[in-house]
Amino acid sequence: MTKLINQVRPFFYGLLVTIILAIILEAIGFIIIDFDEVEVNIILFVVWWLIISLPIYHFKQLKRRKTAVLKFLGFGLLLVFLIIIDSWIDIPDNPVTIFLLITFWIGVSSLLFPSFFGKYKYYIIGIYVLAFSYWAFVRLFSDSFSVYQIEKKQLALMYMLIPIPVFILLWIYEQWVWLRTLKAEKTKAELALLKSQVNPHFFFNTLNNLYSLTVKKSDEAPEVVLKLSDMMRYTIYEGKKELVPIEDEVEYLKNYIDLHKIRYHKQVDINFNVDIDSPDKIAPLLFIILLENAFKHGVETISEDAFINLELESNTEYFKFIIENNFEKPENGNRQQGIGLENLRKRLKLIYPDNHELKSLTENNIYRAELTIFKE
């Protein structure tokens, strides 16, 4: 219920802002509302309500994307310029105004729905070109529509608004298809993740080390059994859950590090700094891929002075996991990342769409990865 309220709240704020702006702009004479045109007023009001509400709904994403915000402000200035031009040039159905209005619609669509617009941009632009061409023909050459008792202005408005509900319906259809396939895709991603985490090579080496410790009757053997058992339990059972306490994820990472230390007969400098402000939950088994890569492509390629530095921070705004390790360049000079990182990207896209950033940097034989997950 709380989640639903949070999703509806931006549209309520947008409704208030739209009403206030309409009252103010009409009071100062900036716009004129013809109360006899009920249908047109309703359509225009709903359209502007959505335009104002969507930036509020996507406020967190826009806050993190300064370039997108600047583009949005640019489109806002274009809209102001459009209104000023239309008020200064006293031409009925001004073609310049209509052209700028089309540009504004297309720009707003590309900003608020970048992936959707990128997929259908040629169709969107094509439909608007056809709509504008037909409107221009009606505006300049045709007087035959009077027999249907339809004014040119009403016809133009109708044709300018036709693409909007069409694209809204197309977007709704895409969301429906996406929801139908989401569960199946998520299950596949989870399965691929589990397969990549239950690494036979890792468990085989750990069991070999455990056997050696048992033969030597080492006091470390019971601790290794316990850690390995905890890891297997966490991977198999907790890994199926949507969210787990962040503390459990930290413990899993620490167990993984401890078991790896037993494997190596060389000194590995590992530092793990944890800063958690308050208890919170996160999708399981996200950070382990980055840690596994640090051992596989870093520690195992260096004979001495290997290191891994980890930082995990959790506050009211985000989770941030930073890992840094040195490595030795292979003979071909290319550092392979493997399928684990690709699985991680897919899973992040499914679980935290538009709410995560995964960055990596390689410099002077040091690899650094930074994963940020923004909280709702």
Side-chain angles (χ1 to χ4, degrees):
M1 187 65 182
T2 303
K3 187 175 181 180
L4 179 62
I5 293 174
N6 291 334
Q7 290 179 340
V8 172
R9 187 182 291 121
F11 293 95
F12 175 73
Y13 292 153
L15 178 62
L16 292 179
V17 173
T18 306
I19 293 173
I20 293 171
L21 282 177
I23 293 173
I24 293 175
L25 292 177
E26 201 211 2
I28 64 177
F30 207 65
I31 62 173
I32 298 175
I33 300 176
D34 186 355
F35 292 97
D36 293 330
E37 300 288 344
V38 179
E39 297 86 356
V40 174
N41 288 334
I42 291 175
I43 293 174
L44 288 174
F45 183 82
V46 171
V47 169
W48 285 110
W49 175 28
L50 290 175
I51 290 174
I52 293 173
S53 298
L54 286 173
I56 300 175
Y57 183 80
H58 293 285
F59 178 75
K60 289 186 178 179
Q61 289 85 344
L62 293 175
K63 185 179 178 181
R64 298 193 296 267
R65 299 174 182 175
K66 295 181 180 179
T67 303
V69 173
L70 291 176
K71 288 181 180 179
F72 186 81
L73 292 176
F75 291 130
L77 292 175
L78 175 63
L79 180 62
V80 173
F81 178 71
L82 184 155
I83 296 174
I84 294 174
I85 287 292
D86 191 57
S87 61
W88 282 355
I89 304 176
D90 189 17
I91 300 177
D93 304 335
N94 186 357
V96 175
T97 302
I98 299 299
F99 178 78
L100 291 176
L101 186 62
I102 292 174
T103 305
F104 175 77
W105 285 135
I106 293 176
V108 170
S109 300
S110 66
L111 179 62
L112 296 179
F113 308 102
S115 58
F116 177 81
F117 181 82
K119 186 176 181 180
Y120 296 104
K121 59 183 177 182
Y122 297 113
Y123 299 101
I124 295 173
I125 295 173
I127 288 178
Y128 270 112
V129 168
L130 291 175
F132 181 75
S133 300
Y134 190 81
W135 174 86
F137 172 77
V138 173
R139 170 70 174 81
L140 299 174
F141 305 109
S142 178
D143 292 320
S144 61
F145 288 94
S146 58
V147 298
Y148 298 103
Q149 298 180 347
I150 300 177
E151 296 181 2
K152 290 181 183 178
K153 188 172 183 180
Q154 292 175 327
L155 184 70
L157 182 62
M158 180 181 70
Y159 271 90
M160 295 312 299
L161 293 177
I162 277 177
I164 296 173
V166 170
F167 294 131
I168 289 176
L169 290 174
L170 185 59
W171 180 80
I172 292 173
Y173 171 75
E174 277 213 337
Q175 299 306 304
W176 176 73
V177 173
W178 177 74
L179 287 172
R180 282 186 60 189
T181 58
L182 177 61
K183 188 173 182 180
E185 289 182 0
K186 188 176 179 181
T187 301
K188 290 180 181 178
E190 295 288 350
L191 180 59
L193 177 71
L194 290 177
K195 287 181 178 179
S196 67
Q197 295 314 312
V198 183
N199 190 327
H201 181 67
F202 166 72
F203 283 117
F204 177 75
N205 284 325
T206 303
L207 288 172
N208 272 344
N209 282 279
L210 177 59
Y211 175 76
S212 299
L213 293 173
T214 305
V215 170
K216 295 176 183 177
K217 297 182 179 180
S218 171
D219 294 336
E220 291 182 322
E223 184 181 354
V224 171
V225 171
L226 183 60
K227 289 182 182 295
L228 186 60
S229 174
D230 285 343
M231 282 196 64
M232 294 182 70
R233 177 195 57 79
Y234 189 88
T235 303
I236 295 172
Y237 296 107
E238 301 301 313
K240 294 180 180 179
K241 297 180 179 179
E242 291 188 3
L243 297 172
V244 296
I246 185 65
E247 293 84 357
D248 292 353
E249 191 74 6
V250 170
E251 189 64 26
Y252 178 75
L253 295 175
K254 288 181 177 179
N255 285 340
Y256 187 85
I257 292 171
D258 290 341
L259 289 178
H260 263 290
K261 284 182 178 179
I262 296 172
R263 284 184 54 198
Y264 298 117
H265 301 287
K266 59 184 178 183
Q267 183 66 30
V268 181
D269 185 16
I270 302 177
N271 298 300
F272 190 6
N273 296 320
V274 179
D275 183 10
I276 300 176
D277 285 351
S278 59
D280 210 336
K281 291 189 174 184
I282 191 172
L285 304 173
L286 293 175
F287 308 131
I288 187 64
I289 294 177
L290 298 175
L291 179 56
E292 186 179 43
N293 282 345
F295 279 106
K296 183 178 179 180
H297 302 292
V299 174
E300 293 183 6
T301 67
I302 297 178
S303 57
E304 58 182 11
D305 297 328
F307 72 82
I308 299 177
N309 295 324
L310 305 94
E311 294 182 21
L312 178 57
E313 179 185 358
S314 173
N315 54 39
T316 56
E317 296 184 1
Y318 57 77
F319 297 103
K320 181 174 288 188
F321 182 73
I322 301 174
I323 186 165
E324 190 177 69
N325 65 273
N326 58 347
F327 65 94
E328 190 170 307
K329 286 185 178 180
E331 294 180 359
N332 59 11
N334 296 323
R335 184 179 186 272
Q336 296 181 349
Q337 294 182 337
I339 63 171
L341 202 57
E342 184 62 27
N343 286 339
L344 175 61
R345 288 194 178 97
K346 290 179 180 178
R347 190 162 180 247
L348 287 169
K349 188 176 180 180
L350 288 169
I351 302 174
Y352 297 106
D354 300 323
N355 280 322
H356 73 275
E357 289 180 357
L358 178 57
K359 300 182 291 186
S360 61
L361 174 67
T362 302
E363 188 176 7
N364 298 327
N365 285 19
I366 296 177
Y367 178 79
R368 175 188 172 92
E370 181 176 323
L371 171 59
T372 306
I373 299 173
F374 300 97
K375 300 179 180 179
E376 293 291 343

